[in-house]
Amino acid sequence: MKDMILRIIEMDKTARELMQRAQKDKFNSDEEIKVKKEEIRSEYLERARKRIAINEKTERKLAQEQKQKIQSNYKKISKNLDKMYAEKCDEWVDTIVKNVLGE
């Protein structure tokens, strides 16, 4: 009977030790998960910042190219208008004067 009580006490002690180890392992796992989560988050943010920087350079280059095309187009239009004005200035002035005078 005494042996049985000692065995029960020993089993209880072992069970408590196992429970403590399990709780400690759980706590350690939780901490490892938090650390790993933070590492992954940091890596993701770093990659995202690099992508943003690359995209920004690309977008700036494309915007500059578009701006140059638009400016070139406006210069052509301006030259055409200047040419038309030089060719038809007198005709336009005459037409405007006649329309104003009602002729």
Side-chain angles (χ1 to χ4, degrees):
M1 181 79 160
K2 199 173 189 180
D3 283 341
M4 204 136 165
I5 293 175
L6 289 174
R7 285 177 65 193
I8 291 173
I9 292 173
E10 188 63 35
M11 286 174 53
D12 183 54
K13 182 180 174 186
T14 305
R16 286 184 192 182
E17 288 173 358
L18 289 173
M19 181 65 100
Q20 286 177 347
R21 277 192 229 149
Q23 287 176 343
K24 186 177 177 182
D25 288 345
K26 180 182 181 250
F27 178 78
N28 290 338
S29 295
D30 289 344
E31 290 300 312
E32 287 176 17
I33 289 170
K34 287 178 187 177
V35 169
K36 189 65 175 175
K37 177 182 169 185
E38 189 58 35
E39 286 175 9
I40 291 170
R41 182 179 177 276
S42 295
E43 289 173 10
Y44 177 80
L45 288 175
E46 184 178 336
R47 286 193 317 264
R49 286 185 183 112
K50 287 179 182 177
R51 274 196 311 266
I52 289 169
I54 291 169
N55 289 345
E56 181 182 14
K57 289 178 185 178
T58 304
E59 291 295 323
R60 283 186 188 270
K61 183 179 177 184
L62 290 174
Q64 187 64 28
E65 289 173 2
Q66 260 187 329
K67 180 182 171 187
Q68 288 174 348
K69 287 179 183 178
I70 291 169
Q71 286 176 335
S72 174
N73 190 32
Y74 284 157
K75 284 180 184 178
K76 288 179 186 177
I77 291 170
S78 179
K79 283 181 183 180
N80 286 339
L81 287 174
D82 287 342
K83 182 180 174 185
M84 285 176 61
Y85 176 77
E87 292 174 358
K88 300 190 180 209
C89 173
D90 293 333
E91 182 184 331
W92 290 346
V93 170
D94 289 342
T95 303
I96 291 170
V97 170
K98 284 180 185 178
N99 286 338
V100 170
L101 296 177
E103 295 178 5

